[in-house]
Each structure stands twice: as C-alpha cells, then as structure tokens.
Amino acid sequence: MNIKKIGFIGLGLIGGSVAKAIRQYYPDCEILAFDKSKETLALAVQDGTIHTSCSTIDDNFRGCTYIFLCAPISYNTAYLSQLKNFLDPDCILTDVGSVKSSIHEEVISLGLESNFIGGHPMAGSEKSGFVNAKAHLIENAYYILTPAAKVSEEKIQAYRTFVESLKALPIILDHQEHDYITGAISHLPHILAASLVNFVRDHDTQNELMKMLAAGGFKDITRIASSSPVMWQQICLKNKENISQILEEFIEALQNAKKAVDQSSERLLYSMFETSRDYRNSMPESSAGPIKKQFAVYCDIIDEAGGIATIATILASNMVNIKNIGIIHNREFEEGVLRIEFYDGEASAKAAELLKKHRYIVYKV
C-alpha cells in the first residue's frame, strides 16, 4: 500500500496504539501528531512512534493519506473545522471514538462526507494515556468502520484493507446502528460497573469489610470501572439517547429479577441463570471486543516459603512471561489458591501444561 504520510490529532491510549501499529507495519511512513500534552509528543518522538510533533493543527497535515482524530469525542468534532482547509481530495479522515452519530452530524454540516469514514477499534484497557499504548492492542480486535454517505467505495475498500494490514478485523456498520450496539455491549457495562462499585462503597460496613472481602467475581465484573472518567463522561453525553433507552430496558430487567426473588419463584430464578449461562457460554473465546479477556490460571500450592518463587522460576526458565501473580484470599468464585495472569492465551496454555508436568493442580479460566 502506498501510504507515505499519516496525521494524528491526539495520542492517548487508542491513538497511540494505532500509531504504534502503523509504525510497526509501515516503518517508512511519515507520522506526525498534534496533542495538547507536550510531554506526550516528546515521548512519542523519543520512542520513534512519530517523526514530527505539531504545536497546532497547521499546514503540516496537508498531503496526509489518513488523518486520525483520537482526542476525546467532544474535541474531535471541534477539530474537524480546523482540519477542513488541509484535507486533500484523496485523504481519508477518520476517528477512533466509541460514539459515531455526533461526529457524522458535524461532518455533514461541514461538507466533509466525501472524506470521512468513522472508525472504532473495539479495544481498550483500564489504563489510559500514551504511556500505556501498545502496537498489539488492536490486533485481532474488531475495528468498526462507519462510512459517510458520500464517501467513495474505493476509499472504503482502501481503509478496510489498511485496517486488515494492522491485524485488526474490520466490520462496516451504519453509524446509528453502531451507537445502539455499543450502547448495550460497551457503554452499559461501564455504567453498571461504576454504579456497582459506588453501591458497595456507599453501603460498606464502617470497617470496610465489603472492600476487604470483595471476591474475584466482583473484581472481574467491575474491573472496567477503573477506566478514564473523562472519556466515559463524554461517551454518556454523546450517546445519551441510546444509553437512556437501554438503561430503561435494563432497569425493567432488574425489576423482573427483583420480582422473581420477592415471589421466591424457583422457575423464574432458574430460568434467569440458565439462559444467561447458556448465552454467555455461546460467546466466542477470542478477545475481539472492547472489554478484553483476561488470561489466567489458578493453581493449588502449599503455603510454604518459596512456593510462589518456585512456580515463577519454572515459568521464567521456559520463557513464559507473567503479567501478574498473587494469592487469592477469597475463593468464592475461584479455584486454586494462586492466581497467575498472562498477556495472551498462548502463554496461559503453555503455563498450564508446564505446571501440570510439575504435578501442580491447575485450573484454567
């Protein structure tokens, strides 16, 4: 692909990860970026992700094959008008936001439909910022494309091919359909996680026993509550109609669950847990969505000096990198006393086999 120059507006977690992936697969491509943080730009230049740091949106952005809008959603729409005079006819203007309708509306009002293809890499992390960006963050992740009405089929196919070359999985959707889908599978879970954490905080005992005894199940379903408050504030404001409708329907589902409990309905309670289990188990194991799968094994060990060190040595000597390791004090939803987390499924599977060979009892999740 003949891609010589790519511009970025914003270099946070997602923008930085896309830029790093482009640097990995297109080492000769010129990459420039504007970000409000001078420290971020300096770091991106220092580690070789970008060639040119821009203090403003200016003539440097002329001649780009792609320009990525990677700032918070409300800022992206504002930056569109600043970019308008620097767009060549062949340039593909895109974004990485999790809400699409608002930016599509602004694109229409500015007459930029022939250039714009919305983009949403369904990847992320509880951590934010360029320092946590990784080239492989979008690898094997769904990457939704929402083309404007007047963009050419040639541009759409070029962008699809480009996304595939970064090892992501492109899917083309209408922007309104995108916002409803992500409202249910991404925005709602973040609101529920934040609400559940706040509920436990507000109802905890005086000596914070709930906080101390929180089991792995609670921590797993609330992990995403550690995400950026600014980003999720903006998402809720920009996708409020869909989120409000989805919340209303979900509140009705919770009321039905409460009714089943109040009535001691064995049939309704069993059906609720059975259908959710079956549907959850039917979902693919691959981590292609916005809430990334954790790769972990649980292991039974005897509480003795050097027990964890022995396991760590076994794995390290076989070139298996550990992301996190620790004793599980509340095993209400866990099997095994030691939890070992890895960066990918291959490392997790290899670790399980190695530990089994050394006669450890291992549980995979």
Side-chain angles (χ1 to χ4, degrees):
M1 297 176 66
N2 186 24
I3 301 173
K4 295 182 179 180
K5 185 178 179 182
I6 294 178
F8 281 84
I9 310 296
L11 277 180
L13 175 70
I14 300 299
S17 295
V18 174
K20 285 177 179 286
I22 293 171
R23 170 61 60 235
Q24 177 175 323
Y25 294 110
Y26 297 89
D28 298 327
C29 176
E30 179 187 355
I31 302 178
L32 63 147
F34 162 78
D35 192 283
K36 288 188 172 182
S37 169
K38 294 180 180 179
E39 292 79 8
T40 293
L41 291 174
L43 182 59
V45 171
Q46 182 181 358
D47 73 4
T49 300
I50 68 172
H51 296 94
T52 306
S53 65
C54 303
S55 57
T56 60
I57 298 175
D58 54 24
D59 210 55
N60 280 301
F61 285 89
R62 200 180 299 278
C64 287
T65 308
Y66 290 93
I67 296 179
F68 287 83
L69 290 159
C70 306
I73 295 170
S74 59
Y75 296 159
N76 281 341
T77 53
Y79 287 136
L80 281 171
S81 59
Q82 298 181 48
L83 282 168
K84 182 176 180 179
N85 293 330
F86 305 114
L87 295 179
D88 293 340
D90 293 334
C91 177
I92 293 176
L93 178 63
T94 187
D95 74 324
V96 296
S98 148
V99 180
K100 286 286 165 277
S101 294
S102 58
I103 195 166
H104 272 269
E105 290 167 3
E106 187 68 16
V107 162
I108 292 170
S109 70
L110 291 171
L112 297 175
E113 285 186 278
S114 62
N115 291 96
F116 187 75
I117 303 175
H120 177 199
M122 298 192 73
S125 168
E126 311 91 85
K127 299 177 181 179
S128 60
F130 182 79
V131 293
N132 295 300
K134 298 177 179 65
H136 66 265
L137 188 70
I138 64 171
E139 186 173 324
N140 292 320
Y142 291 127
Y143 199 121
I144 298 177
L145 310 183
T146 60
K150 296 181 181 179
V151 74
S152 69
E153 186 64 27
E154 182 181 1
K155 281 193 174 93
I156 296 171
Q157 293 308 316
Y159 193 17
R160 179 202 285 268
T161 301
F162 180 58
V163 167
E164 288 176 339
S165 73
L166 300 179
K167 310 304 179 186
L169 308 172
I171 294 178
I172 297 176
L173 289 179
D174 171 78
H175 67 270
Q176 292 174 327
E177 183 180 23
H178 165 275
D179 285 357
Y180 181 73
I181 290 172
T182 55
I185 65 170
S186 178
H187 307 166
L188 176 64
H190 278 81
I191 292 172
L192 297 182
S195 299
L196 181 54
V197 170
N198 287 334
F199 180 87
V200 169
R201 181 202 62 188
D202 295 339
H203 293 79
D204 205 349
T205 58
Q206 189 172 1
N207 53 355
E208 295 190 327
L209 282 173
M210 288 185 186
K211 182 178 181 180
M212 184 180 77
L213 298 175
F218 177 84
K219 290 182 178 178
D220 282 347
I221 64 174
T222 59
R223 176 169 49 90
I224 53 178
S226 297
S227 300
S228 165
V230 173
M231 180 178 74
W232 285 101
Q233 174 204 55
Q234 292 296 309
I235 286 171
C236 287
L237 292 174
K238 293 297 183 180
N239 198 27
K240 65 180 183 180
E241 288 83 7
N242 282 315
I243 291 174
S244 178
Q245 177 188 341
I246 291 166
L247 278 172
E248 184 176 353
E249 293 169 356
F250 186 78
I251 289 169
E252 183 180 350
L254 286 178
Q255 289 172 336
N256 290 335
K258 180 180 183 300
K259 187 183 299 182
V261 172
D262 291 343
Q263 296 175 352
S264 299
S265 173
E266 295 182 6
R267 179 183 62 82
L268 290 176
L269 289 169
Y270 183 87
S271 176
M272 177 178 70
F273 291 114
E274 180 188 39
T275 55
S276 65
R277 178 202 63 190
D278 293 347
Y279 187 70
R280 175 64 178 82
N281 290 343
S282 72
M283 293 180 178
E285 286 297 316
S286 58
S287 180
I291 303 175
K292 306 307 285 182
K293 177 181 173 65
Q294 289 186 317
F295 302 98
V297 299
Y298 294 83
C299 179
D300 284 335
I301 63 170
I302 299 172
D303 185 9
E304 60 183 13
I308 295 178
T310 300
I311 288 177
T313 301
I314 291 170
L315 298 178
S317 62
N318 286 276
M319 307 301 290
V320 178
N321 291 326
I322 296 173
K323 182 178 182 181
N324 202 358
I325 187 169
I327 296 292
I328 300 296
H329 295 291
N330 184 330
R331 292 188 290 282
E332 182 182 356
F333 297 103
E334 317 287 8
E335 295 180 288
V337 68
L338 185 70
R339 183 181 188 276
I340 316 168
E341 187 179 351
F342 304 92
Y343 289 96
D344 53 52
E346 183 179 351
S348 177
K350 184 177 179 180
E353 291 305 313
L354 284 169
L355 294 176
K356 287 177 183 177
K357 286 181 180 179
H358 286 80
R359 301 187 183 281
Y360 288 96
I361 298 175
V362 175
Y363 310 89
K364 287 190 66 178
V365 294

Coordinates of all heavy atoms in Angstrom, one line a residue, residues 253-332:
A253 N -35.5 -5.1 33.4 CA -35.0 -6.5 33.6 C -34.6 -6.7 35.1 O -34.9 -7.7 35.7 CB -33.8 -6.7 32.7
L254 N -34.0 -5.7 35.7 CA -33.7 -5.8 37.1 C -35.0 -5.9 38.0 O -35.0 -6.6 39.0 CB -32.9 -4.6 37.6 CG -31.4 -4.5 37.1 CD1 -30.7 -3.2 37.6 CD2 -30.6 -5.7 37.7
Q255 N -36.0 -5.1 37.6 CA -37.2 -5.2 38.4 C -37.9 -6.6 38.3 O -38.4 -7.1 39.2 CB -38.2 -4.1 37.9 CG -37.8 -2.7 38.2 CD -38.6 -1.6 37.6 OE1 -39.2 -1.9 36.5 NE2 -38.7 -0.4 38.2
N256 N -37.7 -7.2 37.1 CA -38.2 -8.6 36.9 C -37.4 -9.5 37.8 O -38.0 -10.5 38.3 CB -38.1 -9.0 35.4 CG -39.1 -8.3 34.6 OD1 -40.2 -7.8 35.1 ND2 -38.8 -8.1 33.3
A257 N -36.1 -9.3 37.9 CA -35.3 -10.2 38.8 C -35.7 -10.0 40.2 O -35.8 -11.0 41.0 CB -33.8 -9.8 38.6
K258 N -36.0 -8.7 40.6 CA -36.4 -8.5 42.0 C -37.7 -9.2 42.3 O -38.0 -9.8 43.3 CB -36.5 -7.0 42.2 CG -37.0 -6.6 43.6 CD -37.1 -5.1 43.8 CE -37.5 -4.7 45.2 NZ -38.8 -5.3 45.6
K259 N -38.6 -9.1 41.3 CA -39.9 -9.8 41.4 C -39.8 -11.3 41.6 O -40.5 -11.9 42.5 CB -40.8 -9.5 40.2 CG -42.2 -10.0 40.3 CD -43.0 -9.7 39.0 CE -43.1 -8.2 38.7 NZ -43.9 -8.0 37.5
A260 N -38.8 -11.9 40.9 CA -38.6 -13.3 41.0 C -38.1 -13.7 42.4 O -38.5 -14.7 43.0 CB -37.6 -13.8 39.9
V261 N -37.2 -12.8 42.9 CA -36.7 -13.0 44.3 C -37.8 -12.8 45.3 O -38.0 -13.6 46.2 CB -35.5 -12.0 44.6 CG1 -35.1 -12.1 46.0 CG2 -34.3 -12.4 43.7
D262 N -38.6 -11.7 45.2 CA -39.7 -11.4 46.1 C -40.7 -12.5 46.2 O -41.3 -12.9 47.2 CB -40.4 -10.1 45.7 CG -39.5 -8.9 46.0 OD1 -38.5 -9.0 46.7 OD2 -39.8 -7.8 45.4
Q263 N -41.0 -13.1 45.0 CA -42.0 -14.2 44.9 C -41.4 -15.6 45.2 O -42.2 -16.6 45.1 CB -42.6 -14.1 43.5 CG -43.4 -12.9 43.2 CD -43.9 -12.8 41.8 OE1 -43.6 -13.7 41.0 NE2 -44.8 -11.8 41.5
S264 N -40.1 -15.7 45.5 CA -39.5 -17.0 45.6 C -39.8 -17.9 44.5 O -40.0 -19.1 44.7 CB -39.9 -17.6 47.0 OG -39.5 -16.7 48.1
S265 N -39.7 -17.4 43.3 CA -40.1 -18.2 42.1 C -38.9 -19.0 41.7 O -38.0 -18.5 41.0 CB -40.5 -17.2 41.0 OG -40.8 -18.0 39.8
E266 N -39.0 -20.3 42.0 CA -37.9 -21.2 41.6 C -37.7 -21.2 40.1 O -36.6 -21.3 39.5 CB -38.2 -22.6 42.1 CG -38.1 -22.6 43.7 CD -38.4 -24.1 44.2 OE1 -38.4 -25.0 43.3 OE2 -38.5 -24.2 45.4
R267 N -38.9 -21.2 39.4 CA -38.8 -21.4 37.9 C -38.2 -20.1 37.3 O -37.3 -20.3 36.4 CB -40.3 -21.5 37.4 CG -40.3 -21.6 35.8 CD -41.8 -21.7 35.3 NE -42.5 -20.5 35.7 CZ -42.5 -19.4 35.0 NH1 -41.7 -19.3 33.9 NH2 -43.2 -18.3 35.3
L268 N -38.6 -18.9 37.7 CA -38.0 -17.7 37.1 C -36.6 -17.5 37.4 O -35.8 -17.1 36.6 CB -38.8 -16.5 37.5 CG -40.3 -16.4 37.0 CD1 -41.0 -15.2 37.6 CD2 -40.3 -16.3 35.5
L269 N -36.2 -17.8 38.7 CA -34.8 -17.7 39.1 C -33.9 -18.6 38.3 O -32.8 -18.3 37.8 CB -34.7 -17.9 40.6 CG -35.3 -16.8 41.5 CD1 -35.3 -17.2 42.9 CD2 -34.4 -15.5 41.3
Y270 N -34.4 -19.9 38.2 CA -33.6 -20.9 37.5 C -33.4 -20.5 36.0 O -32.3 -20.5 35.5 CB -34.2 -22.3 37.6 CG -33.4 -23.3 36.9 CD1 -32.4 -24.0 37.6 CD2 -33.6 -23.7 35.6 CE1 -31.6 -25.0 37.0 CE2 -32.9 -24.7 35.0 CZ -31.9 -25.3 35.7 OH -31.1 -26.3 35.0
S271 N -34.5 -20.0 35.4 CA -34.5 -19.6 34.0 C -33.6 -18.5 33.8 O -32.8 -18.4 32.8 CB -35.9 -19.3 33.6 OG -35.9 -18.8 32.2
M272 N -33.6 -17.5 34.7 CA -32.7 -16.3 34.6 C -31.2 -16.8 34.5 O -30.5 -16.3 33.7 CB -32.9 -15.3 35.7 CG -32.0 -14.1 35.7 SD -32.4 -12.9 37.0 CE -31.8 -13.9 38.4
F273 N -30.8 -17.6 35.4 CA -29.4 -18.0 35.5 C -29.1 -19.0 34.4 O -28.0 -19.0 33.9 CB -29.1 -18.6 36.9 CG -29.1 -17.6 38.0 CD1 -30.1 -17.6 39.0 CD2 -28.2 -16.6 38.0 CE1 -30.1 -16.7 40.0 CE2 -28.2 -15.6 39.0 CZ -29.2 -15.7 40.0
E274 N -30.1 -19.9 34.0 CA -29.8 -20.8 33.0 C -29.6 -20.2 31.6 O -28.6 -20.4 30.9 CB -30.9 -21.9 32.9 CG -30.7 -22.9 31.8 CD -31.9 -23.8 31.6 OE1 -33.1 -23.3 31.6 OE2 -31.7 -25.0 31.4
T275 N -30.5 -19.3 31.2 CA -30.4 -18.6 29.9 C -29.2 -17.7 29.8 O -28.5 -17.7 28.8 CB -31.7 -17.8 29.6 OG1 -31.9 -16.8 30.7 CG2 -32.9 -18.6 29.5
S276 N -28.9 -17.0 30.9 CA -27.7 -16.2 30.9 C -26.4 -17.1 30.8 O -25.5 -16.7 30.1 CB -27.6 -15.3 32.2 OG -27.4 -16.1 33.3
R277 N -26.4 -18.2 31.5 CA -25.2 -19.1 31.4 C -25.1 -19.6 30.0 O -24.0 -19.6 29.4 CB -25.4 -20.3 32.3 CG -24.3 -21.3 32.3 CD -24.7 -22.7 32.8 NE -25.8 -23.2 32.0 CZ -26.5 -24.3 32.3 NH1 -26.3 -24.9 33.5 NH2 -27.5 -24.7 31.5
D278 N -26.2 -20.1 29.4 CA -26.1 -20.6 28.0 C -25.7 -19.6 27.0 O -24.9 -19.9 26.1 CB -27.4 -21.3 27.6 CG -27.8 -22.5 28.5 OD1 -26.9 -23.0 29.2 OD2 -29.0 -22.9 28.5
Y279 N -26.2 -18.4 27.1 CA -25.9 -17.4 26.1 C -24.4 -16.9 26.3 O -23.7 -16.7 25.3 CB -26.8 -16.2 26.3 CG -26.6 -15.1 25.2 CD1 -27.0 -15.4 23.9 CD2 -26.1 -13.9 25.5 CE1 -26.8 -14.4 22.9 CE2 -25.9 -12.9 24.5 CZ -26.3 -13.2 23.2 OH -26.1 -12.2 22.3
R280 N -24.0 -16.8 27.6 CA -22.6 -16.4 27.9 C -21.7 -17.4 27.3 O -20.6 -17.1 26.8 CB -22.5 -16.2 29.4 CG -21.0 -15.9 29.8 CD -20.5 -14.6 29.3 NE -19.2 -14.3 29.7 CZ -18.1 -14.7 29.2 NH1 -18.1 -15.6 28.1 NH2 -16.9 -14.4 29.6
N281 N -22.0 -18.7 27.5 CA -21.1 -19.8 27.1 C -21.0 -19.9 25.6 O -20.1 -20.5 25.0 CB -21.5 -21.1 27.7 CG -21.3 -21.2 29.2 OD1 -20.5 -20.4 29.7 ND2 -21.9 -22.1 29.9
S282 N -22.1 -19.3 24.9 CA -22.1 -19.4 23.4 C -21.2 -18.3 22.8 O -21.0 -18.4 21.6 CB -23.5 -19.3 22.9 OG -24.0 -17.9 23.0
M283 N -20.7 -17.4 23.6 CA -19.9 -16.3 23.0 C -18.5 -16.9 22.7 O -18.0 -17.7 23.4 CB -19.8 -15.2 24.0 CG -21.1 -14.4 24.3 SD -20.9 -13.1 25.4 CE -22.6 -12.4 25.4
P284 N -17.9 -16.4 21.6 CA -16.6 -16.8 21.2 C -15.5 -16.5 22.3 O -15.7 -15.5 23.0 CB -16.3 -16.1 19.9 CG -17.2 -14.9 19.9 CD -18.4 -15.3 20.7
E285 N -14.5 -17.4 22.4 CA -13.5 -17.2 23.4 C -12.5 -16.1 23.0 O -11.8 -15.5 23.8 CB -12.7 -18.5 23.6 CG -13.5 -19.5 24.4 CD -13.8 -19.0 25.8 OE1 -12.9 -18.5 26.5 OE2 -14.9 -19.2 26.3
S286 N -12.4 -15.8 21.7 CA -11.4 -14.8 21.2 C -11.8 -13.4 21.8 O -12.9 -13.1 22.0 CB -11.4 -14.7 19.7 OG -12.7 -14.4 19.2
S287 N -10.7 -12.7 22.1 CA -10.9 -11.4 22.7 C -11.0 -10.3 21.7 O -10.0 -9.5 21.5 CB -9.7 -11.1 23.7 OG -9.9 -9.9 24.3
A288 N -12.1 -10.2 21.0 CA -12.2 -9.2 19.9 C -13.0 -8.0 20.2 O -13.2 -7.2 19.4 CB -12.7 -9.9 18.6
G289 N -13.6 -8.0 21.4 CA -14.4 -6.9 21.8 C -13.8 -5.8 22.6 O -12.6 -5.9 22.8
P290 N -14.5 -4.9 23.1 CA -13.9 -3.7 23.8 C -13.5 -4.1 25.2 O -12.6 -3.4 25.8 CB -15.1 -2.7 23.9 CG -16.3 -3.5 23.8 CD -16.0 -4.7 23.0
I291 N -14.1 -5.1 25.9 CA -13.7 -5.5 27.2 C -12.8 -6.7 27.1 O -13.3 -7.8 26.8 CB -14.9 -5.8 28.1 CG1 -15.8 -4.6 28.1 CG2 -14.5 -6.2 29.5 CD1 -17.1 -4.8 28.8
K292 N -11.5 -6.5 27.3 CA -10.6 -7.5 26.9 C -10.6 -8.7 27.9 O -10.7 -8.6 29.1 CB -9.2 -7.0 26.9 CG -9.0 -5.7 26.0 CD -9.5 -5.9 24.6 CE -8.6 -6.7 23.7 NZ -9.1 -6.9 22.4
K293 N -10.4 -9.9 27.3 CA -10.4 -11.1 28.1 C -9.1 -11.2 28.9 O -8.0 -10.7 28.5 CB -10.4 -12.3 27.1 CG -10.3 -13.7 27.8 CD -10.3 -14.8 26.8 CE -10.1 -16.2 27.4 NZ -11.1 -16.6 28.4
Q294 N -9.2 -11.7 30.1 CA -8.0 -11.9 30.9 C -7.6 -13.4 30.8 O -8.4 -14.3 30.8 CB -8.3 -11.6 32.4 CG -8.5 -10.1 32.6 CD -8.6 -9.8 34.1 OE1 -9.3 -10.5 34.9 NE2 -8.0 -8.7 34.5
F295 N -6.3 -13.6 30.7 CA -5.7 -14.9 30.6 C -5.1 -15.3 31.9 O -4.0 -14.8 32.2 CB -4.7 -15.0 29.4 CG -5.3 -14.5 28.1 CD1 -5.2 -13.2 27.6 CD2 -6.1 -15.4 27.3 CE1 -5.7 -12.8 26.4 CE2 -6.6 -15.0 26.1 CZ -6.4 -13.7 25.6
A296 N -5.7 -16.2 32.6 CA -5.2 -16.6 33.9 C -5.4 -18.1 34.2 O -6.3 -18.7 33.6 CB -5.9 -15.8 35.0
V297 N -4.5 -18.6 35.0 CA -4.7 -19.9 35.5 C -4.6 -19.8 37.1 O -4.1 -18.9 37.6 CB -3.6 -20.9 35.1 CG1 -3.6 -21.0 33.5 CG2 -2.2 -20.4 35.5
Y298 N -5.3 -20.8 37.7 CA -5.3 -20.9 39.1 C -4.7 -22.2 39.5 O -4.8 -23.2 38.9 CB -6.8 -20.8 39.6 CG -7.4 -19.5 39.4 CD1 -8.0 -19.2 38.1 CD2 -7.5 -18.5 40.4 CE1 -8.6 -18.0 37.9 CE2 -8.1 -17.3 40.1 CZ -8.6 -17.0 38.9 OH -9.2 -15.8 38.6
C299 N -3.9 -22.1 40.6 CA -3.1 -23.2 40.9 C -3.1 -23.5 42.5 O -3.1 -22.5 43.3 CB -1.6 -22.9 40.5 SG -0.4 -24.2 40.9
D300 N -3.2 -24.7 42.8 CA -3.2 -25.1 44.3 C -1.7 -25.2 44.7 O -0.9 -26.0 44.0 CB -3.9 -26.4 44.5 CG -5.4 -26.3 44.5 OD1 -5.8 -25.1 44.8 OD2 -6.1 -27.2 44.2
I301 N -1.3 -24.5 45.7 CA 0.0 -24.6 46.2 C 0.0 -24.7 47.8 O -1.0 -24.3 48.4 CB 1.0 -23.5 45.8 CG1 0.4 -22.1 46.4 CG2 1.1 -23.4 44.3 CD1 1.4 -21.0 46.3
I302 N 1.0 -25.3 48.3 CA 1.1 -25.4 49.8 C 1.7 -24.1 50.3 O 2.6 -23.5 49.7 CB 2.0 -26.6 50.2 CG1 1.4 -27.9 49.7 CG2 2.2 -26.6 51.7 CD1 2.3 -29.1 49.9
D303 N 1.2 -23.6 51.4 CA 1.6 -22.3 52.0 C 3.0 -22.6 52.7 O 3.0 -22.9 53.8 CB 0.6 -21.8 52.9 CG 1.0 -20.4 53.5 OD1 2.0 -19.8 53.0 OD2 0.4 -19.9 54.4
E304 N 4.0 -22.5 51.9 CA 5.4 -22.7 52.5 C 6.3 -21.7 51.8 O 6.1 -21.2 50.7 CB 5.8 -24.1 52.2 CG 5.9 -24.5 50.8 CD 6.3 -26.0 50.6 OE1 6.3 -26.7 51.6 OE2 6.6 -26.3 49.5
A305 N 7.4 -21.4 52.5 CA 8.4 -20.5 52.0 C 8.9 -20.9 50.6 O 9.3 -22.1 50.4 CB 9.6 -20.4 52.9
G306 N 9.0 -20.0 49.7 CA 9.5 -20.3 48.3 C 8.5 -20.9 47.4 O 8.9 -21.2 46.2
G307 N 7.2 -21.1 47.8 CA 6.3 -21.8 46.9 C 6.0 -21.0 45.6 O 6.0 -21.5 44.5
I308 N 5.7 -19.7 45.8 CA 5.5 -18.8 44.6 C 6.7 -18.7 43.8 O 6.7 -18.7 42.5 CB 4.9 -17.5 45.1 CG1 3.6 -17.6 45.8 CG2 4.8 -16.5 43.9 CD1 3.0 -16.3 46.3
A309 N 7.9 -18.5 44.5 CA 9.1 -18.3 43.7 C 9.5 -19.6 42.9 O 10.0 -19.4 41.7 CB 10.3 -18.1 44.7
T310 N 9.1 -20.8 43.3 CA 9.4 -22.0 42.6 C 8.6 -22.0 41.3 O 9.1 -22.3 40.2 CB 9.0 -23.2 43.4 OG1 9.8 -23.2 44.6 CG2 9.2 -24.5 42.6
I311 N 7.3 -21.6 41.4 CA 6.4 -21.5 40.2 C 6.9 -20.5 39.2 O 7.0 -20.7 38.0 CB 5.0 -21.3 40.6 CG1 4.4 -22.5 41.3 CG2 4.1 -20.8 39.4 CD1 3.0 -22.3 41.8
A312 N 7.3 -19.3 39.8 CA 7.8 -18.2 38.9 C 9.0 -18.7 38.2 O 9.2 -18.3 37.0 CB 8.0 -17.0 39.7
T313 N 9.9 -19.4 38.9 CA 11.1 -19.9 38.2 C 10.8 -20.9 37.1 O 11.5 -20.9 36.1 CB 12.0 -20.6 39.3 OG1 12.3 -19.6 40.3 CG2 13.3 -21.1 38.7
I314 N 9.9 -21.8 37.4 CA 9.5 -22.8 36.3 C 9.1 -22.1 35.1 O 9.5 -22.4 33.9 CB 8.4 -23.7 36.8 CG1 8.9 -24.6 37.9 CG2 7.8 -24.5 35.7 CD1 7.8 -25.4 38.7
L315 N 8.2 -21.1 35.2 CA 7.7 -20.4 34.1 C 8.8 -19.5 33.4 O 8.9 -19.5 32.2 CB 6.5 -19.5 34.5 CG 5.3 -20.2 35.1 CD1 4.2 -19.3 35.5 CD2 4.7 -21.3 34.1
A316 N 9.6 -18.8 34.2 CA 10.6 -17.9 33.6 C 11.6 -18.7 32.8 O 12.1 -18.3 31.8 CB 11.3 -17.1 34.7
S317 N 12.0 -19.9 33.4 CA 13.0 -20.7 32.7 C 12.5 -21.3 31.4 O 13.3 -21.7 30.5 CB 13.5 -21.9 33.6 OG 12.4 -22.7 33.9
N318 N 11.2 -21.3 31.2 CA 10.6 -21.7 29.9 C 10.1 -20.6 29.1 O 9.2 -20.7 28.2 CB 9.5 -22.7 30.2 CG 10.0 -24.1 30.7 OD1 10.3 -24.9 29.8 ND2 10.0 -24.3 32.0
M319 N 10.6 -19.4 29.4 CA 10.3 -18.1 28.6 C 8.8 -17.8 28.6 O 8.3 -17.3 27.6 CB 10.8 -18.3 27.2 CG 12.3 -18.7 27.1 SD 13.4 -17.5 27.9 CE 13.2 -16.1 26.8
V320 N 8.1 -18.0 29.7 CA 6.7 -17.6 29.8 C 6.7 -16.4 30.7 O 7.1 -16.4 31.9 CB 5.9 -18.7 30.5 CG1 4.4 -18.3 30.6 CG2 5.9 -20.0 29.6
N321 N 6.2 -15.3 30.1 CA 6.1 -14.0 30.8 C 4.9 -13.9 31.7 O 3.8 -14.2 31.2 CB 6.2 -12.8 29.9 CG 7.5 -12.7 29.2 OD1 8.6 -13.0 29.8 ND2 7.5 -12.2 28.0
I322 N 5.0 -13.5 32.9 CA 3.9 -13.4 33.9 C 3.5 -11.9 33.9 O 4.3 -11.0 34.1 CB 4.3 -13.9 35.3 CG1 4.6 -15.4 35.3 CG2 3.1 -13.5 36.3 CD1 5.1 -15.9 36.6
K323 N 2.2 -11.7 33.8 CA 1.7 -10.3 33.9 C 1.4 -9.9 35.3 O 1.7 -8.8 35.8 CB 0.4 -10.2 33.1 CG -0.2 -8.8 33.1 CD -1.5 -8.7 32.2 CE -2.0 -7.3 32.2 NZ -3.3 -7.2 31.4
N324 N 0.9 -10.9 36.1 CA 0.5 -10.6 37.5 C 0.4 -12.0 38.2 O 0.1 -13.0 37.6 CB -0.8 -9.8 37.6 CG -0.9 -9.1 38.9 OD1 0.0 -9.2 39.8 ND2 -2.0 -8.4 39.1
I325 N 0.8 -12.0 39.5 CA 0.7 -13.2 40.3 C 0.3 -12.8 41.7 O 0.8 -11.8 42.2 CB 2.0 -14.0 40.2 CG1 1.9 -15.4 40.9 CG2 3.2 -13.2 40.8 CD1 3.1 -16.3 40.6
G326 N -0.5 -13.6 42.4 CA -0.9 -13.3 43.7 C -1.8 -14.4 44.4 O -2.4 -15.2 43.7
I327 N -1.8 -14.4 45.7 CA -2.6 -15.3 46.5 C -4.0 -14.8 46.5 O -4.3 -13.6 46.6 CB -2.1 -15.4 47.9 CG1 -0.7 -16.0 47.9 CG2 -3.0 -16.2 48.8 CD1 -0.6 -17.4 47.6
I328 N -5.0 -15.7 46.3 CA -6.4 -15.4 46.3 C -6.9 -15.7 47.8 O -6.9 -16.8 48.2 CB -7.2 -16.3 45.3 CG1 -6.7 -16.0 43.9 CG2 -8.7 -16.0 45.5 CD1 -7.0 -14.6 43.4
H329 N -7.3 -14.6 48.4 CA -7.7 -14.8 49.8 C -9.2 -15.1 49.9 O -9.7 -15.8 50.9 CB -7.5 -13.5 50.6 CG -6.0 -13.2 50.8 ND1 -5.2 -14.0 51.5 CD2 -5.2 -12.2 50.2 CE1 -3.9 -13.5 51.5 NE2 -4.0 -12.4 50.6
N330 N -10.0 -14.7 48.9 CA -11.4 -15.1 48.9 C -11.6 -15.9 47.6 O -11.6 -15.4 46.5 CB -12.3 -13.8 48.9 CG -13.8 -14.1 48.9 OD1 -14.2 -15.2 48.5 ND2 -14.6 -13.3 49.5
R331 N -11.9 -17.2 47.8 CA -12.0 -18.0 46.6 C -13.5 -18.4 46.4 O -13.8 -19.5 45.9 CB -11.1 -19.3 46.8 CG -9.7 -18.9 46.7 CD -8.7 -20.1 46.6 NE -8.7 -20.8 47.9 CZ -8.0 -20.4 49.0 NH1 -7.3 -19.3 48.9 NH2 -8.0 -21.2 50.0
E332 N -14.4 -17.5 46.7 CA -15.8 -17.8 46.5 C -16.1 -18.2 45.0 O -17.0 -19.0 44.7 CB -16.7 -16.6 46.9 CG -18.2 -16.8 46.8 CD -18.9 -15.6 47.2 OE1 -18.3 -14.6 47.7 OE2 -20.2 -15.6 47.1

